[in-house]
Amino acid sequence: MSALAHLPPTESGGRTVPAAPVRPRSRWLPYLLLAPGLVWLALFFVLPALTLVSTSLQTGSLDTGYVQTFEFGNYTSAWGEYWPQFVRSLVYAGLATLAALAIAYPLAYTIAFKAGKYRNLLLVLVIAPFYTSFLLRTLAWKTILADNGIIVETMQRLGILDLLSVVGLTTDDRVLATPLAVVTGLTYNFLPFMTLPLYASLERLDPRLVEAAEDLYASPFTAFRRVTFPLSLPGVVAGTLLTFIPAAGDYINAQLLGSLPSTAMIGNVIEALFLRVLDYPRAAALSVTLMVVIVVLVAGYVRRAGTEELV
Amino acid sequence: MADDTSGDLGIVRLTKAFGDTVAVDDLSLTIPQGSFFALLGPSGCGKTTTLRMVAGLERPTAGAIYLGATDITSTKPYRRPVNTVFQSYALFPHLSVFENVAFGLRRRGVKDVDAQVGQMLDLVELSGYGGRRPNHLSGGQQQRVAVARALINHPSLLLLDEPLGALDLKLRRQMQLELKRIQTEVGITFVHVTHDQEEAMTMADTVAVMNEGRVEQLGSPVELYENPMTTFVANFLGRCNMVDGRVVDRAGDTAVVEVRGHRMAVPSARMHAERDEVHLGVRPEKVSIVLGADAEQVPTSHNRLLGVVEDVSFLGVSTDYTVRLPWGPSFGVFAQNLDRDPRLVPAAEVVLHWAAEHTFALDATEPLEAGIDPDVRLGQVLR
């Protein structure tokens, strides 16, 4: 505001001109810039979230009408009945996140360091699936994983399916309608969300740092472990969050590629309670629980990864 | 130390091509153990590529690199007893200063890391900074961390790639002395790459001036400056006056070159031309300037030229005269301000003279402008 106050008054025509008062910048400008976002969030996030919490504490039925009774029993009964789907959601989302990380890291690394002039083309290809509808892409996997399809037959022949059925990922010598199909669908659908942040953090990594590590007696593998990977952690954290959070709440993959109820995720339960059973309070209670669980998991994860210490 | 060749760096007919561009062209050099060696040249002359090949970060297209008797041409960088101080340092941003310096020791599984890192931080005067992150340090401090991180491994060879380029002038001077002190203290061979001739001359025992992938001339800073063998070296290492002449006598210790009727003596050790057409050169600070009326003061043994003062710039410690010769070219004179002649003003007719031993002669087929910084050349044209 008074940044110019220390400057001596300017001379002009031999006469001292008093410094003109500097017009202060509007104090309201930051709030003005924030306003659209704040209004949007208030209307379409805070308000619905409050309604959701309020609904989760009501009793009654659609016929008799819902009454606000602060019925915390909704939470205990919903959790008691649906905790297996909850755990399953977290396990499926976790597996899909790990699989996506395993696929996306080498992919992002190659695009960032080895692709040369094909870099932009490859990036477009990563996003290309978004040009088709989410639903269609997921349905396409039904064909890919079909019982008499080439993939499943190859897996049968190589004995991979037997192996996977031992850990419970597949059943009945097939892939469709098993947990594996759901995890595969989740991995596929959220892969770009993993790849892009990884690429962004690898791309800005100075290749001279890797050279410096190798100059200082680190083998290429050690250089990766000590320099490249730690410096790509912000991308790993962002990518895993962008994959895990939506995957944990997803219900399309479980519905189209899995077999309900044996592969039902919490999203499927919430969908059923809201749209078919019309048990709004317990559906809302499950939604709130999912939100809280994810926030707690994410907070713990980000804290352990220590991303705030990274540049 | 000078007799021990077991740690000499030998570069033998080294070539590196990137596609059609030859960055380093059939380069051969021997760098004695314990010396402070500078590779000096303009950007794109191949000096950094040479350094990277010695470090193992670039594979030569042809040729070999020896460390003592060992051929290290295809040794992986992490197996070479060579460490590098990178341009803009390349410090690990996720590690503390301490861990940056300890990096090489840890990779080699060395014991007593704490003590060694402590000592090294003392050497570069950064004790107490071990816990900080590199990006919380100033440019000069980062530079010293980079030196410590390389030196702690006691390499046979320390490579410095424009290590002072990112620093401001004052800090650069200070770090030049600092690096020189460290080199004297540890006795490791330093190979320093720079485009700054002043930096190379201040720090190095031996300088190789590089141009277009080749070494133009190699020698001590004094040799290179006083007795350049090519127009590129003459111009790159400072300002230089050159006029065209013709050799009329090569017999004896002193050759005679005729420049527009003036006979100039040139010691034969400073004749660097096979042909008779030469550029006759002399550095501006070697030239004395007297008013035409005082011509009888000029020692008879001196080479002399007549001219007219065109411009006088007073620089405090010295005065910079630009003198126009009768047939066109201009001649620069730096005169110390001992007893400045106030009559030396533009349009004054003057005699320029200098001792024969400061004269050198270069092959006239070489371009006169080689090695002049384009910015400086533009400045001269504008003036």
Side-chain angles (χ1 to χ4, degrees):
Chain A
M1 204 160 67
S2 57
L4 294 175
H6 66 281
L7 290 177
T10 40
E11 293 279 334
S12 97
R15 204 159 50 90
T16 311
V17 180
V22 180
R23 203 169 135 257
R25 260 202 211 147
S26 167
R27 278 192 296 141
W28 297 106
L29 189 63
Y31 299 101
L32 215 65
L33 292 172
L34 275 175
L38 282 179
V39 169
W40 179 271
L41 277 178
L43 276 180
F44 299 112
F45 174 70
V46 178
L47 202 63
L50 289 175
T51 328
L52 192 70
V53 172
S54 148
T55 308
S56 74
L57 298 172
Q58 292 173 351
T59 39
S61 70
L62 201 59
D63 302 332
T64 58
Y66 292 107
V67 196
Q68 191 70 55
T69 53
F70 296 99
E71 178 54 71
F72 285 94
N74 289 337
Y75 281 86
T76 46
S77 87
W79 177 257
E81 194 169 337
Y82 300 114
W83 70 264
Q85 285 85 343
F86 236 110
V87 173
R88 191 180 293 141
S89 295
L90 300 182
V91 170
Y92 286 6
L95 287 175
T97 305
L98 286 179
L101 184 64
I103 296 168
Y105 203 103
L107 177 64
Y109 186 92
T110 309
I111 298 176
F113 295 124
K114 313 276 180 199
K117 59 178 175 172
Y118 297 110
R119 184 189 271 207
N120 286 337
L121 176 71
L122 287 172
L123 277 176
V124 169
L125 288 181
V126 168
I127 317 167
F130 286 128
Y131 294 129
T132 345
S133 127
F134 172 72
L135 220 53
L136 277 180
R137 280 182 280 135
T138 311
L139 279 169
W141 275 93
K142 277 186 107 141
T143 319
I144 297 172
L145 298 177
D147 290 345
N148 47 6
I150 183 159
I151 291 184
V152 174
E153 278 182 4
T154 312
M155 286 173 88
Q156 283 168 343
R157 213 166 296 146
L158 293 176
I160 299 175
L161 277 189
D162 298 333
L163 221 66
L164 288 170
S165 69
V166 173
V167 288
L169 275 174
T170 58
T171 45
D172 304 332
D173 220 19
R174 62 193 300 236
V175 174
L176 211 58
T178 67
L180 180 65
V182 182
V183 172
T184 305
L186 289 172
T187 307
Y188 165 76
N189 277 314
F190 294 108
L191 193 61
F193 297 102
M194 182 67 91
T195 312
L196 293 179
L198 278 175
Y199 167 78
S201 72
L202 284 169
E203 190 262 344
R204 64 188 185 129
L205 192 145
D206 184 350
R208 271 175 310 186
L209 294 176
V210 180
E211 289 186 346
E214 294 193 12
D215 186 63
L216 292 164
Y217 312 104
S219 64
F221 176 71
T222 313
F224 174 79
R225 200 164 58 94
R226 297 284 175 183
V227 177
T228 312
F229 186 73
L231 286 173
S232 69
L233 267 182
V236 173
V237 170
T240 45
L241 292 182
L242 285 176
T243 308
F244 182 81
I245 297 172
D250 183 81
Y251 67 97
I252 298 286
N253 286 286
Q255 189 175 323
L256 295 180
L257 300 175
S259 74
L260 301 180
S262 67
T263 63
M265 295 171 70
I266 198 66
N268 302 95
V269 175
I270 295 171
E271 189 240 352
L273 288 182
F274 260 117
L275 298 180
R276 286 196 287 277
V277 186
L278 304 178
D279 184 354
Y280 290 178
R282 292 214 301 165
L286 282 176
S287 302
V288 173
T289 313
L290 180 65
M291 241 158 69
V292 170
V293 166
I294 285 178
V295 166
V296 168
L297 281 177
V298 165
Y301 172 64
V302 170
R303 212 162 156 177
R304 272 215 57 192
T307 36
E308 66 276 357
E309 285 213 14
L310 295 167
V311 271
Chain B
M1 192 165 71
D3 300 334
D4 182 11
T5 59
S6 62
D8 289 4
L9 172 70
I11 294 175
V12 184
R13 308 205 59 178
L14 200 63
T15 298
K16 175 71 187 182
F18 296 102
D20 291 340
T21 324
V22 179
V24 176
D25 190 1
D26 199 16
L27 181 88
S28 294
L29 271 181
T30 302
I31 299 176
Q33 182 173 17
S35 63
F36 199 132
F37 192 95
L39 284 174
L40 172 68
S43 54
C45 74
K47 55 191 194 302
T48 295
T49 310
T50 306
L51 196 80
R52 289 173 58 82
M53 287 192 282
V54 174
L57 300 170
E58 211 82 68
R59 284 179 78 83
T61 312
I65 301 167
Y66 292 92
L67 203 55
T70 324
D71 183 346
I72 58 164
T73 316
S74 47
T75 310
K76 300 271 184 226
Y78 52 93
R79 299 225 172 86
R80 294 184 189 208
V82 173
N83 292 110
T84 310
V85 176
F86 287 82
Q87 191 171 16
S88 67
Y89 324 131
L91 298 176
F92 304 124
H94 60 300
L95 300 177
S96 66
V97 166
F98 183 96
E99 284 304 324
N100 264 281
V101 177
F103 196 90
L105 297 182
R106 295 213 192 280
R107 299 290 82 74
R108 289 181 299 147
V110 173
K111 303 247 171 3
D112 71 318
V113 170
D114 286 12
Q116 288 198 42
V117 174
Q119 272 175 17
M120 194 44 72
L121 288 177
D122 279 349
L123 181 73
V124 295
E125 289 164 4
L126 278 177
S127 31
Y129 288 85
R132 303 218 193 161
R133 286 289 167 92
N135 53 355
H136 294 157
L137 301 183
S138 71
Q141 289 168 334
Q142 292 186 18
Q143 203 271 338
R144 282 180 285 167
V145 176
V147 171
R149 183 177 73 169
L151 268 185
I152 197 167
N153 305 294
H154 302 292
S156 308
L157 197 61
L158 185 76
L159 308 176
L160 302 110
D161 184 8
E162 301 264 4
L164 308 178
L167 305 180
D168 64 52
L169 192 65
K170 201 174 145 210
L171 202 52
R172 201 149 67 211
R173 290 276 151 74
Q174 193 187 325
M175 290 307 302
Q176 286 173 4
L177 300 176
E178 191 99 328
L179 277 176
K180 186 76 195 163
R181 170 184 73 84
I182 292 172
Q183 198 266 340
T184 320
E185 213 158 298
V186 297
I188 291 173
T189 316
F190 276 35
V191 180
H192 182 131
V193 154
T194 180
H195 67 273
D196 181 337
Q197 39 92 13
E198 211 175 294
E199 188 173 300
M201 293 205 276
T202 320
M203 297 166 76
D205 315 320
T206 313
V207 177
V209 181
M210 284 188 72
N211 182 30
E212 293 178 348
R214 296 163 179 273
V215 172
E216 286 265 332
Q217 191 178 347
L218 182 138
S220 70
V222 176
E223 263 171 63
L224 292 176
Y225 183 80
E226 300 292 0
N227 191 8
M229 290 165 68
T230 65
T231 55
F232 181 88
V233 176
N235 287 323
F236 198 75
L237 266 72
R239 270 182 63 186
C240 190
N241 295 306
M242 280 187 270
V243 287
D244 290 336
R246 191 179 167 75
V247 182
V248 292
D249 180 15
R250 278 182 192 270
D253 291 344
T254 308
V256 178
V257 175
E258 200 183 81
V259 177
R260 304 264 165 167
H262 300 273
R263 289 170 72 83
M264 307 279 185
V266 183
S268 18
R270 300 166 69 89
M271 283 288 300
H272 304 296
E274 298 291 316
R275 303 140 55 83
D276 286 344
E277 305 299 324
V278 295
H279 295 309
L280 186 94
V282 62
R283 297 238 176 241
E285 76 280 5
K286 303 292 194 304
V287 181
S288 303
I289 181 168
V290 296
L291 209 62
D294 301 337
E296 74 281 356
Q297 291 176 4
V298 177
T300 47
S301 63
H302 274 198
N303 293 329
R304 63 171 81 195
L305 283 172
L306 304 176
V308 175
V309 175
E310 193 169 76
D311 187 45
V312 181
S313 319
F314 179 68
L315 303 174
V317 290
S318 65
T319 305
D320 183 350
Y321 298 95
T322 306
V323 176
R324 185 66 62 185
L325 301 178
W327 66 96
S330 72
F331 219 80
V333 179
F334 298 157
Q336 271 208 301
N337 285 326
L338 287 172
D339 36 15
R340 199 163 159 267
D341 189 341
R343 295 170 300 169
L344 294 171
V345 291
E349 295 196 354
V350 293
V351 179
L352 306 171
H353 64 96
W354 62 92
E357 71 254 33
H358 291 138
T359 322
F360 51 85
L362 310 173
D363 193 313
T365 53
E366 289 186 23
L368 267 178
E369 307 265 277
I372 299 182
D373 186 327
D375 293 344
V376 175
R377 195 182 306 163
L378 184 67
Q380 282 171 351
V381 169
L382 291 179
R383 224 167 47 165

